[in-house]
């Protein structure tokens, strides 16, 4: 089962920052938080990942709370092309089985 | 990012036939390969995990004799859907994986069984 919960859908105005929350209250110390997105009918795309510290790359920023029980993905200036389903994933690590388990994700609609 | 090639990108086959899907990691050696399928408007569901040179581990509810996975090398894995039926119509996606790193997905294969 997925170890994360996310809102089913969100709207964001074009040009504004999109803040997508994720709860992962049972995360363990060595597990990373990953974010992917899937644009309609395409394979998922990696966005960002982190362990404890906040992370930023050319696509987004990831803010992880101090207790690591939740995180927020921030798309600083959303465009229409950011309309997609966003998945927050906590990686399970059991020996060699580094599974990636997807939840239902958040469907983000960018409004013109 | 890493380059992953999944082929074919779409296929239509007749009920009862078999379909093979290839997944290649072009610029790194994947010790692990994950195969997923996605039904319309649903999330990605893990089907199986395979490690190079060993048998695949299938998730509960996935028939190993129907979905044959071969991970013969560190850069190639194949998924064969045997005796396909319309209910097998889905979007199949591979992830070649090596260690703690970001995942790069294949482009996906849309299978339609008629």
């Amino acid at each position: 089962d997925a170890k994360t919960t996310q809102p089913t859908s969100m709207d964001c105005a074009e040009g504004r920052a999109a803040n997508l929350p994720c709860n992962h209250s049972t995360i363990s110390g060595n597990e990373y938080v990953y974010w992917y997105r899937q644009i309609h009918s395409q394979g998922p795309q990696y966005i960002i990942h982190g362990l404890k510290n906040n992370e930023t790359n050319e696509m987004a920023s990831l803010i992880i709370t101090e207790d690591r029980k939740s995180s927020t993905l921030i798309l600083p200036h959303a465009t229409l092309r950011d309309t997609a389903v966003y998945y927050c994933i906590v990686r399970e690590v059991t020996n060699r089985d580094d599974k990636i388990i997807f939840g239902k994700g958040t469907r983000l609609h960018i409004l013109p | 990012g890493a380059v992953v090639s999944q082929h074919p990108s779409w296929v239509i086959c007749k009920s009862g036939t078999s379909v093979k899907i290839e997944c290649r990691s072009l610029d790194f050696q994947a010790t692990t390969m994950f195969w997923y399928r996605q039904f319309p408007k649903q999330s990605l569901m893990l089907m199986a995990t395979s490690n190079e040179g060993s048998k695949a581990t299938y998730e509960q509810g996935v028939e190993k004799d129907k979905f044959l996975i071969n991970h013969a090398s560190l850069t190639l894995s194949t998924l064969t859907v045997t005796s396909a039926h319309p209910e097998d119509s889905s979007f199949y996606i591979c992830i070649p994986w090596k260690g703690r790193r970001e995942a790069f997905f294949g482009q996906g294969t849309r299978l339609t069984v008629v």
Side-chain angles (χ1 to χ4, degrees):
Chain A
D1 290 336
K3 298 174 73 172
T4 62
T5 55
Q6 299 175 252
T8 304
S9 67
M10 292 181 63
D11 292 338
C12 178
E14 188 178 17
R16 305 296 294 270
N19 297 283
L20 291 89
C22 179
N23 288 323
H24 31 80
S25 58
T26 61
I27 192 172
S28 66
N30 293 327
E31 291 178 317
Y32 288 71
V33 179
Y34 283 77
W35 282 85
Y36 300 90
R37 72 180 181 185
Q38 187 177 24
I39 297 170
H40 182 63
S41 294
Q42 297 182 23
Q45 176 189 23
Y46 165 81
I47 301 174
I48 199 166
H49 74 284
L51 182 63
K52 298 181 194 177
N53 300 322
N54 298 337
E55 302 289 342
T56 296
N57 63 20
E58 64 277 5
M59 289 183 68
S61 295
L62 173 61
I63 308 298
I64 303 174
T65 58
E66 193 169 342
D67 64 7
R68 302 209 325 124
K69 293 186 177 183
S70 65
S71 61
T72 302
L73 177 74
I74 301 172
L75 307 178
H77 303 287
T79 70
L80 296 177
R81 288 179 293 182
D82 293 321
T83 293
V85 178
Y86 287 77
Y87 296 100
C88 168
I89 292 161
V90 166
R91 282 195 57 210
E92 300 177 8
V93 178
T94 305
N95 296 323
R96 297 180 69 183
D97 292 334
D98 295 358
K99 296 183 181 182
I100 307 172
I101 305 297
F102 287 82
K104 297 186 186 303
T106 296
R107 188 171 296 276
L108 177 66
H109 300 278
I110 305 300
L111 307 175
Chain B
V3 180
V4 179
S5 174
Q6 187 173 339
H7 178 81
S9 56
W10 61 270
V11 57
I12 301 173
C13 71
K14 290 184 178 180
S15 188
T17 61
S18 295
V19 174
K20 180 184 283 189
I21 302 170
E22 289 189 352
C23 181
R24 295 178 185 272
S25 56
L26 300 183
D27 61 351
F28 73 101
Q29 294 182 323
T31 51
T32 302
M33 189 73 73
F34 299 105
W35 285 95
Y36 291 80
R37 64 182 169 186
Q38 184 177 35
F39 294 108
K41 298 188 178 181
Q42 295 188 24
S43 187
L44 292 91
M45 299 298 295
L46 180 64
M47 298 177 65
T49 304
S50 70
N51 295 303
E52 188 262 342
S54 61
K55 290 184 178 180
T57 302
Y58 289 81
E59 296 298 304
Q60 191 172 10
V62 178
E63 300 174 58
K64 63 179 182 179
D65 295 329
K66 182 171 182 63
F67 298 99
L68 302 179
I69 292 172
N70 183 288
H71 192 170
S73 76
L74 290 172
T75 59
L76 173 64
S77 177
T78 60
L79 167 67
T80 301
V81 183
T82 63
S83 187
H85 290 284
E87 57 264 32
D88 298 324
S89 298
S90 186
F91 191 52
Y92 292 86
I93 303 172
C94 66
I95 309 176
W97 189 281
K98 181 178 180 180
R100 289 185 179 276
R101 56 172 292 167
E102 60 269 31
F104 295 96
F105 291 72
Q107 305 94 316
T109 296
R110 186 160 302 282
L111 170 64
T112 302
V113 184
V114 297

